[in-house]
Amino acid sequence: MPDAARLVPPQFYPCLFVALWSTGFIGAKYGLPDAQPLTFLSLRYVLVLLLMGAVVLWTRAPWPARGSRAWMHIAVSGLLVHGVYLGGVFTAIAQGLPAGITALLVGLQPLLTALGAGLFLGERVRPAQWLGLALGLIGVGLVLAHKLGSGLATPALQAMLLPAFVALLGITAGTLYQKRFCPAFDLRTGSLIQFLPCLLLTALAAWAGGESLEVRWSGSFVFALAWLVLVLSLGAVSLLHMLIRQGSAVHVASLFYLVPPTTAVFAWALFGETLHGLALAGMVVAVTGVWLARR
């Protein structure tokens, strides 16, 4: 994975990460009608482990030192960033929470990460960065304002919000944990260490939650599964690890403000969803906020 990443100049990593990560909601929309959320994720983790296992054997990638705490730290960060975050997002969308509201809730991550970076990492967040984080949140709200108006009327909204909040806490805690305890590790063997506990936890949760474990292997489901495995779990996640290694937690987290606007553009191109003038203005505000937060 690192060798493939060198094909892209490092200065383009943030843009490429946002573009790839934004397709996660699109993949969920394609695949969830044919499988329940945790079953879908379990299949995704199995394929990731098989592919990365082959890569590790082929390249003889190095493992962390035996008996070191690095194994535990890498596994915990993976459970938070992948298992908890993805499990919450997929469950929320499967239960009927509009993707716009889900994206907005998860979009609170940069603000929570900024608070945590000061408390747990000793990072100093400058006033201009706080202003940028606030502008980014406002921009995301403007982009999703139209969807929020219709989504708030959905029944049993509180029950649907819980998994989205769990996802928010997972991705925030995972980013801070990895930055503090395991900012650098081999992405090939590290992926195996991270995704194996995710598979065990997700499969156990699917069984305990009474999921049927049945899958309808439609063309759209196969496409969504392949996309989420190859592009998201291998491509975007590797970029996320490299960004965490290279920059501050606030810098990395601020990029998540650009995910909902980018997802909205993909939804407009693929599904014909409308983009209102307010949404376009929100994109400008969000980009300005991220620029201030990362300056």
Side-chain angles (χ1 to χ4, degrees):
M1 295 304 295
D3 293 334
R6 293 194 188 100
L7 297 175
V8 180
Q11 60 266 31
F12 293 110
Y13 286 175
C15 296
L16 182 59
F17 167 74
V18 170
L20 297 183
W21 196 269
S22 300
T23 63
F25 288 104
I26 305 300
K29 185 168 183 176
Y30 271 119
L32 281 175
D34 297 314
Q36 291 179 289
L38 300 184
T39 301
F40 190 1
L41 284 176
S42 296
L43 283 172
R44 175 177 175 178
Y45 296 147
V46 167
L47 292 179
V48 170
L49 288 169
L50 290 174
L51 287 174
M52 290 308 299
V55 171
V56 168
L57 291 175
W58 180 264
T59 60
R60 298 181 181 180
W63 294 87
R66 290 184 179 181
S68 69
R69 291 187 177 182
W71 290 75
M72 180 194 70
H73 290 318
I74 295 171
V76 171
S77 67
L79 277 173
L80 293 170
V81 172
H82 308 306
V84 176
Y85 168 71
L86 292 175
V89 167
F90 274 57
T91 301
I93 294 176
Q95 288 181 354
L97 189 68
I101 296 179
T102 307
L104 181 59
L105 290 176
V106 178
L108 294 172
Q109 186 221 347
L111 285 176
L112 291 183
T113 302
L115 292 173
L119 292 174
F120 302 112
L121 302 180
E123 293 183 5
R124 179 175 175 269
V125 184
R126 296 176 290 102
Q129 287 181 296
W130 283 115
L131 175 61
L133 293 171
L135 283 176
L137 183 61
I138 293 171
V140 170
L142 292 175
V143 171
L144 303 175
H146 178 69
K147 293 183 178 181
L148 288 174
S150 59
L152 289 175
T154 56
L157 184 60
Q158 283 96 359
M160 299 179 192
L161 289 174
L162 179 59
F165 277 116
V166 171
L168 167 63
L169 295 176
I171 189 70
T172 302
T175 301
L176 294 171
Y177 189 96
Q178 182 169 325
K179 183 64 181 178
R180 177 166 183 174
F181 294 108
C182 51
F185 55 86
D186 189 275
L187 298 179
R188 296 159 293 183
T189 53
S191 293
L192 293 181
I193 299 172
Q194 287 193 324
F195 281 107
L196 181 57
C198 290
L199 171 60
L200 297 176
L201 178 66
T202 304
L204 180 61
W207 174 79
E211 289 197 6
S212 63
L213 306 181
E214 295 180 357
V215 176
R216 187 166 64 93
W217 294 93
S218 65
S220 59
F221 178 81
V222 172
F223 171 79
L225 181 61
W227 183 270
L228 292 177
V229 168
L230 297 174
V231 177
L232 268 294
S233 293
L234 300 183
V237 168
S238 295
L239 285 170
L240 176 61
H241 291 326
M242 285 187 283
L243 290 170
I244 291 175
R245 181 184 304 173
Q246 295 171 358
S248 71
V250 175
H251 280 177
V252 176
S254 64
L255 293 174
F256 284 87
Y257 277 148
L258 300 179
V259 171
T262 308
T263 302
V265 172
F266 285 140
W268 166 75
L270 295 173
F271 305 118
E273 296 185 7
T274 56
L275 278 176
H276 297 272
L278 194 61
L280 297 175
M283 291 181 189
V284 175
V285 174
V287 170
T288 303
V290 172
W291 176 76
L292 281 174
R294 294 178 57 82
R295 193 175 60 171

